[in-house]
Amino acid sequence: MNAMTHSMRSLLAALPLLSFVSPGCDPPKPPVGPLPPAYTSNQITDPALLDVTEEVQTWTSQQADDGQKPLYSHAEVLSPVPIVQPYGVGVFQQEVRLPVIFTTGPGWNSLKLAEKEAAVAHAYREIAVRLQALNHEPALQPTLTVQTPQGMELAWINRLDPGGKNVHGDD
């Protein structure tokens, strides 16, 4: 019985030391600093594309009518998304597109319809040229949406209309 008492005493003496050795019993420590985003599928993570995004937003903020009122109050560039474009009957092709949304500003209403068409076509070409410079394979194409501050869509462009009719609902 003496050996058994000795074993119990040794075990009881070792229990406080086991709490220092066992890391699983301590609560987890919070991370230091900001955490990276858990889901990046809706974010632009390519540094070159981020630069293009900033360039487009800067360019948009510089567009004004003759009275120097801004044509666009806001420009939003979303992350690239694959879309399916119909080409003919039963034939479809998938493309990766960069959605860009311009919200009209105070100077938009002072433009005549032909000037609005020219402004939208010019904006689409500006974005397309900046995307071509990235040399993505396959080429990243823009989709430009122009809307009013109330959310009414005025233009949705994947390709410029050869007839020059890209702005709708504003004539």
Side-chain angles (χ1 to χ4, degrees):
M1 196 150 168
N2 199 5
M4 194 164 157
T5 305
H6 181 63
S7 296
M8 285 296 276
R9 283 187 183 157
S10 298
L11 182 61
L12 289 173
L15 279 177
L17 295 174
L18 287 175
S19 67
F20 292 115
V21 177
S22 174
C25 295
D26 290 337
K29 294 184 173 124
V32 177
L35 293 173
Y39 304 101
T40 59
S41 64
N42 65 342
Q43 297 176 353
I44 298 174
T45 56
D46 177 5
L49 191 52
L50 280 171
D51 290 343
V52 168
T53 297
E54 290 175 16
E55 290 172 10
V56 166
Q57 289 173 332
T58 300
W59 180 86
T60 305
S61 68
Q62 296 168 348
Q63 302 309 299
D65 69 357
D66 292 338
Q68 296 307 308
K69 290 189 271 180
L71 291 183
Y72 308 105
S73 63
H74 183 70
E76 185 174 3
V77 181
L78 306 175
S79 62
V81 293
I83 64 166
V84 177
Q85 288 286 337
Y87 294 103
V89 178
V91 179
F92 297 93
Q93 178 180 352
Q94 189 172 16
E95 297 177 336
V96 178
R97 295 221 160 241
L98 184 72
V100 180
I101 304 169
F102 288 175
T103 302
T104 59
W108 182 262
N109 291 333
S110 69
L111 299 179
K112 294 180 177 137
L113 183 57
E115 294 170 321
K116 291 175 182 179
E117 291 287 351
V120 168
H122 182 63
Y124 182 85
R125 286 188 200 101
E126 277 290 322
I127 299 165
V129 165
R130 293 173 196 277
L131 291 176
Q132 284 175 349
L134 293 178
N135 293 324
H136 274 214
E137 197 54 48
L140 185 57
Q141 301 293 323
T143 293
L144 175 61
T145 303
V146 179
Q147 66 180 17
T148 66
Q150 295 78 25
M152 185 176 96
E153 183 181 296
L154 302 177
W156 186 72
I157 307 168
N158 279 330
R159 284 175 188 71
L160 291 174
D161 185 321
K165 183 67 175 155
N166 295 297
V167 178
H168 305 283
D170 204 29
D171 34 336

